[in-house]
Amino acid sequence: MQAERLSHSPADFSIDAEEQAQLALFRDTVRRFCAEQMAPCYAQWESDGLVPRELFNKLGDAGLLCVDVPEAYGGYGVPAQFSFAIVEELGYAGFTGFTGGLQVHNDIVPPYLVSFGTEAQKQRWLPGMVSGEIVTAIGMSEPNAGSDLANIKTSAQRTENGYLINGSKIFISNGQHADMLLLAAKTDKGAGARGTSLFLVDASLPGYSRGSNLAKVGHKCADTSELFFENLLVPHDALLGEEGAGFGMMMEKLARERMIIGVLAVGAARGALDWTIDYVQERQAFGAPLAKLQNTRFKLAEAHTRIMANTSFMQQCFAAYRNGQLTPEVAAAFKLYATEMQCEVIDECLQLFGGYGYMSEYPISRAWADARVQRIYGGTSEIMKEVVARSLVGK
Ligand SMILES: Cc1cc2nc3c(=O)[nH]c(=O)nc-3n(C[C@H](O)[C@H](O)[C@H](O)COP(=O)(O)OP(=O)(O)OC[C@H]3O[C@@H](n4cnc5c(N)ncnc54)[C@H](O)[C@@H]3O)c2cc1C
């Protein structure tokens, strides 16, 4: 019933008719995976505070990891819309907490390797990322630098034997499970943003250690960790792209990261609305279903309209991404618009559940808690406004 309603959202005009048919079949695979492999276990993972590492292997076996990676590197070479559909479906099914980490592995790390990696780096990492043998994370944020990424302190000093890395990262999704970390570090402390470089760090090297998996308001099963690097020596060929080019690479790739957070917002809001539509038709007050009250009807109509508007914006972003024209400001505007919508719509939905909406047993309560961080990670709403404003009136 719910899956059918999601398919009633407008067709994706950013792909052709044949691809749309393939995408519809692919969505069925994702829904089956959600129903069979995730739904029965999700509450347990939430109480464990972590998804099992094997979930990535199962996702890989089902063909749901890094799907738009070229076939030459073990991927399926399908349009990125297939990868976006995974996020939308998992959000719709109420698995936002895990999806944050999944999108790091599927949508954030692979484009860096595909665009900037050497042939040897691609061959080393990408096939394992597709199969689930290798889990990845991205380490940008530090205890004293989140929005202000140019101010990171982790250093990578070039030596004869490789780069010597010292420092720490915080809030790193997949931090416990990751086998490879895409790390931002300073190779030239005096050069500001231009002193930032990126590294593909093998997490099994000596000097790499994991801190605790951080307890959170929502995303209870998500692996969000501190990482520490103490005299961690990585080989010279762990450098991704040119030394000092890291900030520019991050700015380029942040567009997809921000767009995909918006995609999760749209899926999660649609899922929450569909649960609410079911609930208000069953729940009685004053001798009639809640759905007969004008306030309820208007809230549902407003939520539906907002989700539809965001869906159209999302498809505009998909089309731009496919043509290589997704700009940072459009991605920022979409993240801002979609995540603010998600938080407000899910809050209104929870209100319609009354006291039951506040009970952990009801998925709407989890969706509400999980939504909140969407306005923070990947760049806060305030930073998104800055990015958009800069495109309008300059710095
Ligand atoms: C669950 C979770 C998962 C995460 N996963 C990752 C990950 O995988 N990898 C990673 O690198 N990071 C990750 N992060 C970090 C996340 O990207 C940062 O938390 C975020 O960018 C904000 O940085 P901060 O927390 O340092 O806040 P700060 O930068 O300290 O911001 C605090 C407040 O000040 C505001 N502010 C800051 N600068 C400005 C400005 N110029 N104008 C107006 N307002 C401003 C912010 O909007 C915010 O409201 C994750 C965070 C969470 C919570």
Side-chain angles (χ1 to χ4, degrees):
M1 173 73 152
Q2 288 181 2
E4 205 180 304
R5 283 195 197 138
L6 179 69
S7 70
H8 288 168
S9 61
D12 185 345
F13 296 115
S14 67
I15 51 177
D16 65 30
E18 194 185 330
E19 286 169 340
Q20 280 190 38
Q22 289 166 352
L23 188 58
L25 291 175
F26 183 72
R27 280 185 187 275
D28 287 342
T29 304
V30 182
R31 288 172 189 160
R32 237 188 348 268
F33 189 89
C34 287
E36 291 170 7
Q37 303 289 347
M38 295 190 68
C41 317
Y42 204 79
Q44 184 60 48
W45 298 340
E46 290 245 309
S47 84
D48 294 346
L50 196 62
V51 296
R53 168 66 180 78
E54 297 70 45
L55 181 57
F56 282 91
N57 302 93
K58 287 186 178 173
L59 282 158
D61 291 346
L64 301 180
L65 294 181
C66 310
V67 292
D68 57 321
V69 160
E71 285 172 283
Y73 306 109
Y76 306 98
V78 293
Q81 271 82 352
F82 285 70
S83 197
F84 307 155
I86 296 172
V87 169
E88 196 185 351
E89 291 289 345
L90 261 66
Y92 182 79
F95 304 138
T96 299
F98 169 65
T99 312
L102 181 64
Q103 59 196 20
V104 167
H105 182 82
N106 270 357
D107 293 289
I108 300 177
V109 176
Y112 281 91
L113 267 158
V114 171
S115 298
F116 308 118
T118 61
E119 187 58 26
Q121 287 170 332
K122 290 178 194 179
Q123 294 291 358
R124 173 165 184 201
W125 298 111
L126 287 169
M129 289 164 63
V130 175
S131 70
E133 193 188 320
I134 294 168
V135 175
T136 60
I138 185 162
M140 298 186 195
S141 305
E142 295 185 359
N144 293 311
S147 303
D148 185 10
L149 278 180
N151 200 29
I152 58 168
K153 296 284 182 267
T154 296
S155 63
Q157 189 193 346
R158 193 181 170 90
T159 70
E160 207 179 306
N161 300 325
Y163 288 89
L164 197 61
I165 298 178
N166 280 288
S168 67
K169 296 287 169 183
I170 197 165
F171 306 142
I172 306 307
S173 302
N174 301 338
Q176 298 295 316
H177 288 325
D179 304 289
M180 186 270 269
L181 174 72
L182 176 57
L183 173 76
K186 282 283 170 72
T187 37
D188 182 349
K189 283 191 172 173
R194 282 193 298 277
T196 306
S197 302
L198 297 181
F199 296 89
L200 301 163
V201 178
D202 179 341
S204 66
L205 288 173
Y208 184 110
S209 60
R210 298 167 174 86
S212 53
N213 181 20
L214 303 163
K216 299 173 289 294
V217 171
H219 287 221
K220 297 281 189 198
C221 66
D223 165 359
T224 313
S225 302
E226 296 170 289
L227 298 174
F228 301 98
F229 321 111
E230 202 181 335
N231 293 327
L232 163 68
L233 186 68
V234 300
H236 289 128
D237 64 7
L239 177 72
L240 182 71
E242 301 287 313
E243 214 179 270
F247 203 78
M249 291 191 271
M250 288 193 292
M251 291 305 112
E252 183 187 320
K253 295 302 176 195
L254 272 170
R256 177 163 170 173
E257 172 170 352
R258 287 171 178 165
M259 179 182 73
I260 199 72
I261 293 171
V263 174
L264 179 56
V266 171
R270 172 63 67 191
L273 178 61
D274 281 356
W275 302 332
T276 311
I277 291 170
D278 287 340
Y279 185 78
V280 297
Q281 292 179 92
E282 286 159 18
R283 177 77 177 168
Q284 304 273 323
F286 300 98
L290 295 177
K292 296 292 174 199
L293 298 168
Q294 189 186 50
N295 176 66
T296 306
R297 304 169 72 78
F298 282 12
K299 291 294 181 197
L300 296 179
E302 281 164 17
H304 177 68
T305 306
R306 294 181 73 183
I307 296 167
M308 293 288 279
N310 272 280
T311 304
S312 297
F313 194 175
M314 177 171 80
Q315 290 176 1
Q316 181 193 327
C317 292
F318 287 173
Y321 183 82
R322 191 160 196 190
N323 297 327
Q325 290 171 342
L326 181 69
T327 60
E329 56 272 19
V330 169
F334 174 55
K335 179 185 187 280
L336 172 68
Y337 195 51
T339 58
E340 298 279 334
M341 175 280 293
Q342 176 193 9
C343 288
E344 288 164 20
V345 160
I346 294 179
D347 189 69
E348 293 285 11
C349 287
L350 187 149
Q351 187 71 15
L352 290 171
F353 275 78
Y356 294 99
Y358 201 65
M359 297 299 118
S360 303
E361 179 189 345
Y362 280 70
I364 191 73
S365 67
R366 186 172 75 218
W368 182 77
D370 286 350
R372 187 61 183 82
V373 76
Q374 290 261 100
R375 294 170 55 206
I376 297 173
Y377 60 16
T380 63
S381 287
E382 293 73 28
I383 294 297
M384 296 306 98
K385 288 178 191 173
E386 266 301 319
V387 173
V388 176
R390 224 175 280 160
S391 74
L392 302 175
V393 291
K395 273 198 181 180

